Amino acid sequence: MNEQEIRQTIFQLLKKIAPDTEPEKLQPDDDIRHTLEIDSFDGLQFVVALDEHFGIETPEADYGKIDTLRNLVTYIMQRKK
Amino acid sequence: MIEFKMPSLGADMEAGTLAEWLVKPGDTVKRGDIIAVVDTQKGLIDIEVFDEGTISELVIKENEKVPVGTVMALIESGKEDLTKKEAIKPTSKIEEKKATEKISVVATPQFIKASPLAKRIAAEKGIELNTIKGTGEDGAITKEDVEKAIIEKMAPAAEKKITTTENIRMAVAAAMSKSNREIPHYYLETKVDMRKALTWLTETNKQRTVKQRLLPVILLLKAVAKALVEIPDLNGYWENGLQQKQDINIGFVVSLRGGGVMIPAIHNADKKTIDELMAALNDIIPRARAMKLRSSELSESTITVTNLGEGNVETVYGVIYPPQVAIVGFGSITEEPWAEMGMLDVRPVINITLSADHRATDGATGSRFLMAVKNHLQKPEIL
């Protein structure tokens, strides 16, 4: 799975959680949750979806590493073997 | 015979439109069954029945709009027949307000004053001049009037989309105006050191899979529920005096991304474990956002909690949702300098507010309640 595909998957997952947002418009360094107005509840659902989809396990301590689109893609690429 | 009536889904609802019957005469129902779908300002709501028996008659028809309290159906409970059938004709139906709008069309004179340019544009766009309201001299239709009419003609599609949000806003506004008008509020606020609670939460979450992880709000909800057991005066309704409620049903404010709020109830919050509370939130938040709540979830809250979550302002002062007598507000948890035992430290701090009805309680009661919440948050392991 390349960077582009990961990004597309992230958009799909975000769209499912927050159907009325436009994740495609996120800039690489935008804070995802802040920009899309995703609260802590939906934020948790998003991490659950990410982990399920990419087969990774994101500890709570890593939440700071997945705040922006750029960071999240990097994080997933490193974790996903 | 039991009368099944249009329920009131909160102080902000005056009427509802029956969208669909899910039962027919002869069907047996039991408590908690969803028997109808009603269209309200808060979207389509599943309506539950609170009695057991057999549906004997559906009094109102689908698409009929009736005020709260109107008999919708009759249920044969097997118990003695106390009500006379004549007594239960459906009450006045709400009349659509279209009548007044039509008058202007009917009364339009044969000769319509309009500027030549306005006439030409209207003809080009296929707009009847008699549907346009003139603002020029003697009511003459101007070019601007035609242009406005063109925009309005194109607008309905866009308008439709925002109706639900606007309706919810209107409903919230109506309830809150009533609250500010009729309820003498008093406000209290306290700061709570969340270090113990958050440390406990972090440790607990480490042992859990992502799916089982807890959010800080769960501890806050549990602390409120436990404090209400100790100070029950804040858990109830003001209806000709304070009516304390047995069940502690916390209405949890869920903000909708497009604007507006829905307040589903977490039933018996004091009797739920923190895991059960988390499960309850997992269940109701998505349904609240999709506007798929049940009638009992919209009508049975005994107190409201509003939680701003992280990354927001520090303090929120709530407006009581009538007929309740209190609302608890949680701001964002922020790091603050904290003095304790002569020492200065930095702690994660949350501001907790209480807005309460002064007819029902006073500051001393409210203060005891906030202190109880604070104390419970210092012992997260036994919440």
Side-chain angles (χ1 to χ4, degrees), chain A residues 17-21 33-34 36-42 44-45 47-49 51-52 56-61 63, chain B residues 201-202 205-206 209-211 213-217 254-258 278 281-283 285-286 289 307 309-311:
Chain A
I17 284 157
D20 40 8
T21 61
R33 281 187 41 194
H34 185 78
L36 300 184
E37 291 177 36
I38 291 176
D39 64 12
S40 53
F41 172 80
D42 281 347
L44 183 59
Q45 304 306 309
V47 178
V48 170
D51 284 15
E52 266 175 8
I56 58 175
E57 229 174 83
T58 312
E60 215 176 36
Y63 284 6
Chain B
L201 196 70
T202 309
N205 278 344
K206 269 187 198 161
T209 64
V210 189
K211 268 195 168 169
R213 258 172 228 171
L214 301 169
L215 294 169
V217 64
V254 176
S255 64
L256 307 176
R257 226 170 259 101
M278 190 68 207
L281 274 196
N282 279 331
D283 173 41
I285 293 179
R289 294 221 159 108
N307 169 60
E310 63 214 84

Side-chain angles (χ1 to χ4, degrees), chain B residues 189-207:
Chain B
E189 175 174 359
T190 191
K191 285 181 188 295
V192 175
D193 171 15
M194 289 292 284
R195 184 196 271 174
K196 268 188 198 153
L198 292 184
T199 309
W200 180 86
L201 196 70
T202 309
E203 287 309 311
T204 306
N205 278 344
K206 269 187 198 161
Q207 333 272 325

